[in-house]
Amino acid sequence: MTDTTAATTTATTTTTTAADTTAATTTTAPWHGITDTDAAAYVANKGWQSPQDVIKSYQGVEKLIGRDPSTLIPIPRLDDPEGVKSVFQKLGLPESPDKYDMSVGLPKGAKPDEGFAKTMQGLLHKANVTDGQAKTLVAEWNALQTAQREQAATDYELNVQADKQALLDEWKGGHDRMMNRAKTAATSLGFTTELIDAIEKQVGYAATYKMFAEIGGKLGEDTLVTPNKNTEFAATLTPEEAKAQLATARSDPNHIAALKDKSHPGHKLAQEKENRLFAIMYPGGK
């Protein structure tokens, strides 16, 4: 009787120990084998009982957002500049400002302004502009600037042609002599072609050469010399010069006397001078 009781007690103890061991094993080694407390708690909160539950949950997320969750970019707070920059880096923000190509959209062989390019590269990078966006902006800007320069060159050339015609209309027969005077004066004063061009761009072609012609007149820079000043030189006068000469002649009593008296020995020459000056002043009878 005693032996039977002892055997029963031993069996009971053995069974209890085995049960405790099984319980302990079940507690420390769940189905997922995760030992990280937070991760295990996450799985427990989700209610996942097997790998199949996890896969189904992931598939559900993909269906909900329409794409692989690993391809998503988390949106940082606006007060997190580094986080914002990391997002744009993933979208194509260059590593440094000098990586932007500032020659996009320029004519072949043309180079961007170095100072402007460097400044814009810094601003683009500071604003987190991606490389693709920058290429669009730079190409449009360069195309706009090129078009404006070409239009400005065309407008300038049209203005030059109009000014040249204006000088021909104003100086008429004296045009070539006045241009010679202007160019001679400019050369005498040391003006280079580049400097004259710069002046032209500021004040215009006509104003530039009228200025130099006036200076040349004061300096006595008339390069055209003719043997007969009463005929050949008179033909090179401008209407304004002819008008001035006529005014001078009519202030001379001798010229007036000869002009009015047909029997005067100088009448013919006085009349010819008047006619010659009038022809220059009013070419074509205008």
Side-chain angles (χ1 to χ4, degrees), residues 128-248:
N128 293 321
V129 177
T130 66
D131 184 61
Q133 292 172 323
K135 284 180 178 178
T136 300
L137 291 172
V138 173
E140 290 295 327
W141 172 259
N142 284 337
L144 176 62
Q145 293 299 299
T146 298
Q148 289 180 340
R149 284 192 293 269
E150 291 175 349
Q151 185 61 52
T154 299
D155 292 343
Y156 175 73
E157 185 58 32
L158 291 174
N159 288 334
V160 168
Q161 295 305 317
D163 276 359
K164 286 182 177 181
Q165 186 59 51
L167 286 181
L168 282 169
D169 292 341
E170 181 178 344
W171 286 343
K172 300 191 185 306
H175 176 270
D176 290 346
R177 182 176 63 81
M178 295 296 281
M179 287 299 294
N180 285 336
R181 175 196 284 182
K183 292 176 180 179
T184 301
T187 301
S188 299
L189 294 172
F191 284 85
T192 63
T193 301
E194 293 75 17
L195 185 54
I196 294 174
D197 288 343
I199 296 173
E200 276 187 46
K201 285 181 171 60
Q202 291 297 316
V203 302
Y205 179 91
T208 298
Y209 284 98
K210 287 177 72 173
M211 175 188 71
F212 281 120
E214 184 176 351
I215 293 174
K218 293 178 179 178
L219 295 176
E221 297 287 0
D222 255 318
T223 59
L224 182 59
V225 178
T226 58
N228 189 337
K229 293 184 179 181
N230 289 329
T231 56
E232 296 180 44
F233 184 73
T236 67
L237 293 176
T238 67
E240 285 299 316
E241 289 175 327
K243 190 178 296 183
Q245 283 201 14
L246 182 61
T248 300

Side-chain angles (χ1 to χ4, degrees), residues 59-90:
Q59 289 176 328
V61 172
E62 281 193 333
K63 291 178 180 179
L64 182 63
I65 63 177
R67 61 183 300 173
D68 184 349
S70 65
T71 63
L72 297 177
I73 300 176
I75 303 300
R77 293 170 56 88
L78 293 178
D79 58 359
D80 177 14
E82 290 304 317
V84 172
K85 183 172 287 292
S86 69
V87 170
F88 283 102
Q89 286 173 337
K90 293 177 181 179

